[in-house]
Amino acid sequence: MKTKALCAAMALLLGTGAGVAQDCTPAHQFPTITPGTLTVGTYELLPFISTKDGGLSGTDAEIVKEIAKMECLEITTVALDPAALVQAVVSGQIDMTIGNWYRTAKRAEVVNLTAPLYLDQMGIISKDGITKVSEAEGRTVGNIQGYLWTDDVQAVFGDSAKVYPNTVAMAQDLTAGRIDVGFESYTVVKEAQKAGAYEGLQVKVVEADERVAASREPGQSTFPHTKGNDAMTKALDEDIAALRKSGRLAEILVAAGLDASAAEPGEPRLIK
C-alpha cells in the first residue's frame, strides 16, 4: 500500500525550469536521476518552500534555484507528504528534498546531507521584546512539546512553564495574556505574524544561554540527497559555500523575513 501511495504521489510532477542556456558550463559534474535535471521533493512549509499556483518559492526553493543555475540543471519538483520525502530519496525516485530538514544522525545513516544551509533559530516571544532566557525568569512561559529546547526550558522554569501540543494553542494563550513569554521557532513566528498572528507581541532570536542547548546550537538545515552520491554532495557543499561567501544566501533569508545571522550556521554537526 505504501508503494502504491508513493507511486500515486509521484505522478504529481511540476516542471519549474525555464530552460538552460546551450552555452552554460556547469560548476561541477555529478550524476542525477535524469541527466540535465535535478528532481526535487517538495511540500508546503512557508517560508521555506511553496509550490502554490505551479511555482516554486521560499528560502529553500531560492537556494536550490541558485544551485541549479550554477550546475546548468533544470528543476523538476515532486510534491509528496513530508513523511514520504526522505524515503523517496532513499528509493532513488528523487535526487533530493528541500524544506528545512535538520541535520540528524538518523538521517545521515540513510541519505547524504549537505553542509549546513542556515540555522532554525530559537525565538522568544513577549510584549516587551526580551532576548534572554534569564529575562523570562519570574514569568509564566509557554513551551511546545517535542522541540529541541523543550526539556531544557522545562528544567529551567519548572512549574512556571506550560507545555503546549502545538504553536497555535500557545499563540492563543500568549495573545490572551494567559502566559507572559513563549518559546518557538523564530522563523515560524515571523511567518505567522505576516498573517496577523501574535498581535501586540514581539519575537526575538534568543541569546545563547548555557542552560538551553538549542539557544547555543540551533538546528542546522540541510538538503538530504542520494546516499553514496558523493560527487553531488561535494558540488552542493561548494555551491552553498559560494552563495554564503557572496552574501546571496543571507539576502535570500532576509527577503523571507529571517534574521541574517541565520546564514552563519557554524561547523557541521548532527542532532543525536
Side-chain angles (χ1 to χ4, degrees):
M1 290 298 292
K2 289 183 179 178
T3 302
K4 289 181 179 179
L6 181 59
C7 290
M10 289 292 295
L12 181 56
L13 299 176
L14 300 171
T16 62
V20 177
Q22 291 184 351
D23 60 350
C24 184
T25 301
H28 303 86
Q29 295 289 338
F30 58 90
T32 57
I33 295 168
T34 302
T37 299
L38 193 60
T39 305
V40 179
T42 66
Y43 65 110
E44 292 297 315
L45 183 66
L46 291 171
F48 304 108
I49 183 171
S50 178
T51 57
K52 289 183 178 179
D53 301 321
L56 183 61
S57 60
T59 57
D60 287 33
E62 294 305 318
I63 294 169
V64 83
K65 285 179 185 177
E66 294 286 351
I67 290 171
K69 288 178 186 177
M70 288 187 274
E71 302 300 344
C72 305
L73 295 170
E74 293 194 22
I75 297 174
T76 294
T77 63
V78 178
L80 288 172
D81 185 88
L85 281 165
V86 171
Q87 184 55 42
V89 176
V90 173
S91 63
Q93 299 186 68
I94 58 176
D95 291 305
M96 63 188 297
T97 180
I98 63 177
N100 194 30
W101 296 95
Y102 282 176
R103 288 175 51 85
T104 70
K106 187 174 181 179
R107 287 193 183 118
E109 293 176 358
V110 296
V111 293
N112 280 13
L113 304 175
T114 65
L117 297 164
Y118 51 81
L119 295 174
D120 188 12
Q121 295 169 305
M122 180 181 178
I124 185 167
I125 313 160
S126 66
K127 286 185 177 180
D128 50 340
I130 63 176
T131 61
K132 299 177 181 178
V133 173
S134 60
E135 292 176 313
E137 293 184 63
R139 309 190 197 190
T140 303
V141 307
N143 203 13
I144 299 173
Q145 186 64 46
Y147 277 30
L148 292 179
W149 53 79
T150 301
D151 291 345
D152 287 348
V153 168
Q154 292 304 114
V156 171
F157 292 93
D159 293 340
S160 295
K162 183 176 180 180
V163 180
Y164 293 86
N166 55 60
T167 187
V168 174
M170 187 178 75
Q172 290 173 340
D173 275 9
L174 272 168
T175 302
R178 288 187 284 268
I179 58 174
D180 305 308
V181 176
F183 294 98
E184 170 61 289
S185 164
Y186 175 81
T187 305
V188 168
V189 178
K190 292 295 286 186
E191 186 64 26
Q193 286 180 326
K194 295 177 184 177
Y198 299 99
E199 186 176 356
L201 297 167
Q202 301 180 55
V203 61
K204 303 291 183 179
V205 174
V206 176
E207 294 185 32
D209 188 298
E210 63 180 15
R211 299 170 295 175
V212 182
S215 71
R216 304 190 312 273
E217 294 186 338
Q220 294 177 322
S221 181
T222 186
F223 288 156
H225 55 284
T226 308
K227 186 71 173 176
N229 193 343
D230 295 336
M232 177 184 283
T233 304
K234 182 176 185 293
L236 295 175
D237 285 355
E238 291 182 1
D239 291 344
I240 291 166
L243 291 173
R244 180 170 289 113
K245 183 177 181 179
S246 69
R248 177 60 180 142
L249 183 56
E251 288 177 1
I252 290 171
L253 298 183
V254 171
L258 281 64
D259 195 278
S261 63
E264 299 296 336
E267 292 299 312
R269 48 187 165 76
L270 297 173
I271 297 171
K272 303 292 186 180

Coordinates of all heavy atoms in Angstrom, one line a residue, residues 173-233:
D173 N -2.8 31.5 23.9 CA -2.7 31.9 25.3 C -1.7 33.1 25.5 O -1.9 34.0 26.4 CB -2.1 30.7 26.1 CG -3.2 29.8 26.6 OD1 -4.3 30.0 26.2 OD2 -2.8 28.9 27.4
L174 N -0.8 33.3 24.6 CA 0.1 34.4 24.6 C -0.7 35.7 24.3 O -0.6 36.7 25.0 CB 1.2 34.3 23.6 CG 2.5 33.6 24.1 CD1 3.4 33.3 22.9 CD2 3.3 34.5 25.0
T175 N -1.5 35.6 23.3 CA -2.3 36.8 22.8 C -3.3 37.2 23.9 O -3.5 38.4 24.1 CB -3.0 36.5 21.5 OG1 -2.0 36.1 20.5 CG2 -3.7 37.7 21.0
A176 N -3.8 36.2 24.6 CA -4.9 36.4 25.6 C -4.2 36.8 26.9 O -5.0 37.2 27.9 CB -5.7 35.2 25.8
G177 N -2.9 36.8 27.1 CA -2.3 37.1 28.3 C -2.3 36.1 29.4 O -2.0 36.4 30.5
R178 N -2.6 34.8 29.0 CA -2.6 33.8 30.0 C -1.2 33.3 30.3 O -1.0 32.6 31.4 CB -3.5 32.6 29.5 CG -5.0 32.9 29.5 CD -5.9 31.8 29.2 NE -5.8 31.5 27.8 CZ -6.7 31.9 26.9 NH1 -7.7 32.8 27.3 NH2 -6.6 31.6 25.6
I179 N -0.3 33.5 29.4 CA 1.1 33.3 29.7 C 1.9 34.6 29.3 O 1.4 35.4 28.5 CB 1.7 32.1 29.0 CG1 1.6 32.2 27.5 CG2 1.1 30.8 29.6 CD1 2.2 31.0 26.8
D180 N 3.1 34.8 29.8 CA 3.8 36.0 29.5 C 4.8 35.9 28.4 O 5.1 36.9 27.7 CB 4.5 36.5 30.8 CG 3.6 36.6 32.0 OD1 2.6 37.3 31.9 OD2 3.9 36.0 33.1
V181 N 5.4 34.7 28.3 CA 6.5 34.5 27.3 C 6.3 33.2 26.7 O 5.9 32.2 27.3 CB 7.9 34.6 28.1 CG1 9.0 34.3 27.1 CG2 8.1 35.9 28.7
G182 N 6.7 33.1 25.4 CA 6.7 31.9 24.7 C 8.0 31.6 24.0 O 8.7 32.5 23.6
F183 N 8.3 30.3 23.9 CA 9.5 29.9 23.1 C 9.0 29.1 21.9 O 8.3 28.1 22.0 CB 10.4 29.0 24.0 CG 11.0 29.7 25.2 CD1 10.4 29.7 26.4 CD2 12.1 30.5 25.0 CE1 11.0 30.3 27.5 CE2 12.7 31.2 26.1 CZ 12.1 31.1 27.3
E184 N 9.5 29.6 20.7 CA 9.1 29.0 19.5 C 10.1 29.3 18.4 O 11.0 30.1 18.6 CB 7.7 29.6 19.1 CG 7.2 29.3 17.7 CD 6.9 27.9 17.4 OE1 7.9 27.1 17.3 OE2 5.8 27.5 17.3
S185 N 10.1 28.6 17.3 CA 11.0 28.8 16.2 C 10.8 30.3 15.8 O 9.7 30.7 15.5 CB 10.7 27.9 15.0 OG 11.3 28.4 13.8
Y186 N 11.9 31.0 15.7 CA 11.9 32.4 15.3 C 11.3 32.5 13.9 O 10.4 33.4 13.6 CB 13.3 33.0 15.3 CG 13.4 34.4 14.7 CD1 13.1 35.5 15.5 CD2 13.8 34.6 13.4 CE1 13.2 36.8 15.1 CE2 13.9 35.9 12.9 CZ 13.6 37.0 13.8 OH 13.7 38.3 13.3
T187 N 11.6 31.6 13.0 CA 11.1 31.7 11.6 C 9.6 31.4 11.6 O 8.9 32.1 10.9 CB 11.9 30.6 10.8 OG1 13.3 30.8 10.9 CG2 11.4 30.7 9.3
V188 N 9.2 30.5 12.4 CA 7.7 30.2 12.4 C 6.9 31.4 12.8 O 5.9 31.7 12.3 CB 7.5 28.9 13.3 CG1 6.0 28.7 13.5 CG2 8.0 27.7 12.6
V189 N 7.4 32.0 13.9 CA 6.7 33.2 14.4 C 6.7 34.3 13.4 O 5.6 35.0 13.2 CB 7.2 33.6 15.8 CG1 6.5 34.9 16.3 CG2 7.2 32.5 16.8
K190 N 7.8 34.6 12.8 CA 7.9 35.7 11.8 C 6.9 35.5 10.7 O 6.3 36.4 10.2 CB 9.3 35.8 11.3 CG 10.3 36.3 12.4 CD 10.0 37.7 12.8 CE 10.4 38.8 11.8 NZ 10.2 40.2 12.3
E191 N 6.8 34.2 10.2 CA 5.9 33.9 9.2 C 4.4 34.0 9.6 O 3.6 34.6 8.9 CB 6.1 32.5 8.7 CG 5.3 32.1 7.4 CD 5.7 32.9 6.2 OE1 6.8 33.4 6.1 OE2 4.8 33.0 5.3
A192 N 4.1 33.6 10.8 CA 2.8 33.7 11.4 C 2.4 35.2 11.5 O 1.2 35.5 11.3 CB 2.7 33.0 12.7
Q193 N 3.3 36.0 11.9 CA 3.0 37.4 12.1 C 2.6 38.1 10.7 O 1.8 39.1 10.8 CB 4.2 38.2 12.7 CG 4.4 37.9 14.1 CD 5.6 38.6 14.7 OE1 6.6 38.8 14.1 NE2 5.5 39.0 16.0
K194 N 3.0 37.6 9.6 CA 2.6 38.1 8.3 C 1.1 37.9 8.1 O 0.5 38.7 7.4 CB 3.4 37.4 7.2 CG 4.9 37.7 7.2 CD 5.6 36.9 6.1 CE 7.1 37.1 6.1 NZ 7.7 36.2 5.0
A195 N 0.6 36.9 8.8 CA -0.8 36.6 8.6 C -1.7 37.1 9.8 O -2.8 36.8 9.9 CB -1.0 35.0 8.6
G196 N -1.0 38.0 10.6 CA -1.7 38.6 11.7 C -1.7 38.0 13.0 O -2.4 38.4 14.0
A197 N -1.0 36.9 13.2 CA -0.9 36.2 14.5 C 0.1 36.9 15.4 O 0.8 37.8 15.0 CB -0.4 34.8 14.3
Y198 N 0.0 36.6 16.7 CA 0.9 37.2 17.7 C 0.7 38.7 17.8 O 1.7 39.5 17.9 CB 2.3 36.8 17.5 CG 2.6 35.3 17.5 CD1 2.7 34.6 16.4 CD2 2.7 34.7 18.8 CE1 2.9 33.2 16.4 CE2 3.0 33.3 18.8 CZ 3.1 32.6 17.7 OH 3.3 31.2 17.7
E199 N -0.5 39.2 17.7 CA -0.8 40.6 17.7 C -0.3 41.3 19.0 O -0.6 40.7 20.1 CB -2.3 40.9 17.5 CG -2.6 42.4 17.3 CD -4.1 42.6 17.0 OE1 -4.8 41.6 16.9 OE2 -4.5 43.8 17.0
G200 N 0.4 42.4 18.9 CA 0.9 43.1 20.1 C 2.1 42.4 20.7 O 2.5 42.9 21.8
L201 N 2.7 41.4 20.1 CA 3.8 40.7 20.7 C 5.1 40.9 19.8 O 4.9 41.1 18.5 CB 3.5 39.2 20.8 CG 2.4 38.9 21.8 CD1 1.9 37.5 21.7 CD2 2.8 39.2 23.3
Q202 N 6.2 40.7 20.3 CA 7.5 40.8 19.6 C 8.2 39.4 19.7 O 8.1 38.7 20.7 CB 8.4 41.9 20.2 CG 7.8 43.3 20.2 CD 8.8 44.2 20.8 OE1 10.0 44.3 20.3 NE2 8.4 45.0 21.7
V203 N 8.9 39.1 18.6 CA 9.7 37.9 18.7 C 11.2 38.3 18.4 O 11.4 39.1 17.5 CB 9.2 36.8 17.7 CG1 9.3 37.3 16.2 CG2 10.1 35.5 17.9
K204 N 12.1 37.7 19.2 CA 13.5 38.0 19.0 C 14.2 36.7 19.0 O 13.8 35.7 19.6 CB 14.0 38.8 20.2 CG 13.3 40.2 20.4 CD 13.6 41.1 19.2 CE 13.0 42.5 19.5 NZ 13.2 43.5 18.4
V205 N 15.4 36.7 18.4 CA 16.3 35.5 18.5 C 16.8 35.4 19.9 O 17.3 36.4 20.4 CB 17.4 35.6 17.5 CG1 18.4 34.4 17.6 CG2 16.9 35.6 16.0
V206 N 16.7 34.2 20.5 CA 17.2 34.0 21.9 C 18.7 34.1 21.9 O 19.4 33.5 21.1 CB 16.7 32.7 22.4 CG1 17.3 32.5 23.8 CG2 15.2 32.6 22.5
E207 N 19.2 34.9 22.9 CA 20.7 34.9 23.1 C 21.1 33.6 23.7 O 20.4 32.9 24.4 CB 21.0 36.1 24.0 CG 20.8 37.5 23.4 CD 21.2 38.6 24.2 OE1 22.2 38.4 25.0 OE2 20.6 39.7 24.2
A208 N 22.4 33.2 23.5 CA 22.9 32.0 24.0 C 22.8 31.9 25.5 O 23.2 32.9 26.2 CB 24.3 31.8 23.5
D209 N 22.3 30.8 26.0 CA 22.2 30.5 27.4 C 22.7 29.1 27.7 O 22.2 28.2 27.1 CB 20.8 30.7 27.9 CG 20.6 30.6 29.4 OD1 21.0 29.6 30.0 OD2 20.2 31.6 30.0
E210 N 23.7 29.0 28.6 CA 24.3 27.6 28.8 C 23.3 26.6 29.3 O 23.6 25.4 29.1 CB 25.5 27.7 29.8 CG 25.1 28.2 31.2 CD 26.3 28.3 32.1 OE1 27.4 28.3 31.6 OE2 26.0 28.3 33.3
R211 N 22.2 27.0 29.8 CA 21.2 26.1 30.3 C 20.3 25.5 29.2 O 19.6 24.5 29.4 CB 20.3 26.7 31.4 CG 21.1 27.2 32.6 CD 20.3 28.1 33.5 NE 19.9 29.3 32.8 CZ 19.0 30.2 33.3 NH1 18.5 30.0 34.5 NH2 18.7 31.3 32.7
V212 N 20.3 26.2 28.1 CA 19.4 25.7 27.0 C 20.2 25.5 25.7 O 20.7 26.4 25.0 CB 18.3 26.8 26.7 CG1 17.4 26.4 25.6 CG2 17.5 27.2 27.9
A213 N 20.5 24.2 25.4 CA 21.4 23.9 24.4 C 21.0 24.4 23.0 O 21.9 24.9 22.2 CB 21.5 22.3 24.3
A214 N 19.7 24.5 22.7 CA 19.3 24.9 21.4 C 19.5 26.4 21.2 O 19.5 26.9 20.1 CB 17.8 24.6 21.2
S215 N 19.7 27.2 22.3 CA 20.0 28.6 22.2 C 21.4 28.8 21.7 O 21.8 29.8 21.1 CB 19.7 29.3 23.5 OG 20.7 29.0 24.5
R216 N 22.3 27.8 22.1 CA 23.7 27.9 21.7 C 23.9 27.2 20.3 O 24.7 27.7 19.5 CB 24.5 27.2 22.7 CG 24.4 27.8 24.1 CD 25.4 27.2 25.1 NE 25.6 25.8 25.0 CZ 24.9 24.9 25.7 NH1 23.9 25.3 26.5 NH2 25.1 23.6 25.5
E217 N 23.2 26.1 20.1 CA 23.4 25.3 18.9 C 22.0 25.0 18.3 O 21.5 23.9 18.4 CB 24.2 24.1 19.1 CG 25.6 24.3 19.6 CD 26.4 23.0 19.7 OE1 25.7 21.9 19.9 OE2 27.6 23.0 19.6
P218 N 21.4 26.0 17.5 CA 20.1 25.7 16.9 C 20.2 24.6 15.8 O 21.3 24.3 15.4 CB 19.8 27.1 16.3 CG 20.6 28.1 17.0 CD 21.9 27.3 17.3
G219 N 19.1 24.1 15.4 CA 19.1 23.1 14.4 C 19.7 23.6 13.1 O 19.4 24.8 12.7
Q220 N 20.5 22.8 12.4 CA 21.1 23.3 11.1 C 20.3 22.6 10.0 O 20.1 21.4 9.9 CB 22.5 22.8 11.1 CG 23.5 23.5 12.1 CD 24.9 22.9 12.0 OE1 25.1 21.7 11.8 NE2 25.9 23.8 12.1
S221 N 19.9 23.4 9.1 CA 19.1 23.0 7.9 C 20.0 22.4 6.9 O 21.2 22.8 6.7 CB 18.3 24.1 7.3 OG 17.5 23.7 6.2
T222 N 19.5 21.4 6.1 CA 20.3 20.7 5.1 C 19.4 20.3 3.9 O 18.2 20.3 4.0 CB 21.0 19.5 5.7 OG1 21.9 18.9 4.8 CG2 20.0 18.4 6.1
F223 N 20.0 19.8 2.9 CA 19.3 19.2 1.7 C 19.7 17.7 1.7 O 20.8 17.3 1.3 CB 19.7 19.8 0.4 CG 19.2 21.2 0.1 CD1 19.9 22.0 -0.7 CD2 18.1 21.7 0.8 CE1 19.5 23.3 -1.0 CE2 17.6 23.0 0.5 CZ 18.3 23.8 -0.4
P224 N 18.8 16.9 2.2 CA 19.0 15.4 2.1 C 19.0 15.0 0.6 O 18.2 15.4 -0.1 CB 17.8 14.8 2.8 CG 17.3 15.9 3.7 CD 17.5 17.1 3.0
H225 N 20.0 14.2 0.2 CA 20.1 13.7 -1.2 C 20.7 12.3 -1.2 O 21.0 11.7 -0.2 CB 21.0 14.7 -2.0 CG 22.3 15.0 -1.4 ND1 22.6 15.8 -0.3 CD2 23.6 14.5 -1.8 CE1 23.8 15.8 -0.1 NE2 24.5 15.0 -0.9
T226 N 20.8 11.8 -2.4 CA 21.1 10.4 -2.7 C 22.3 9.9 -1.9 O 23.4 10.4 -2.0 CB 21.3 10.2 -4.2 OG1 20.3 10.7 -4.9 CG2 21.4 8.7 -4.5
K227 N 22.1 8.8 -1.1 CA 23.2 8.2 -0.4 C 24.2 7.7 -1.3 O 23.9 7.0 -2.3 CB 22.6 7.0 0.4 CG 23.6 6.4 1.4 CD 23.9 7.3 2.6 CE 24.8 6.6 3.6 NZ 25.2 7.5 4.7
G228 N 25.5 8.0 -1.0 CA 26.6 7.5 -1.9 C 26.9 8.4 -3.0 O 28.0 8.1 -3.7
N229 N 26.1 9.4 -3.3 CA 26.4 10.3 -4.5 C 27.3 11.4 -3.9 O 26.9 12.5 -3.8 CB 25.1 10.8 -5.1 CG 25.4 11.5 -6.4 OD1 26.5 11.9 -6.7 ND2 24.3 11.7 -7.2
D230 N 28.6 11.0 -3.7 CA 29.5 11.9 -3.0 C 29.9 13.1 -4.0 O 30.2 14.2 -3.5 CB 30.7 11.2 -2.6 CG 30.4 10.2 -1.5 OD1 29.4 10.4 -0.8 OD2 31.2 9.2 -1.3
A231 N 29.8 12.9 -5.3 CA 30.1 13.9 -6.2 C 29.0 15.0 -6.1 O 29.3 16.2 -6.2 CB 30.2 13.4 -7.6
M232 N 27.8 14.6 -5.9 CA 26.7 15.6 -5.7 C 26.9 16.3 -4.4 O 26.7 17.6 -4.3 CB 25.3 14.9 -5.7 CG 24.2 15.8 -5.4 SD 22.6 15.0 -5.3 CE 22.2 14.8 -7.1
T233 N 27.3 15.6 -3.3 CA 27.5 16.2 -2.0 C 28.6 17.3 -2.2 O 28.4 18.4 -1.7 CB 27.9 15.2 -1.0 OG1 26.9 14.2 -0.9 CG2 28.0 15.9 0.4

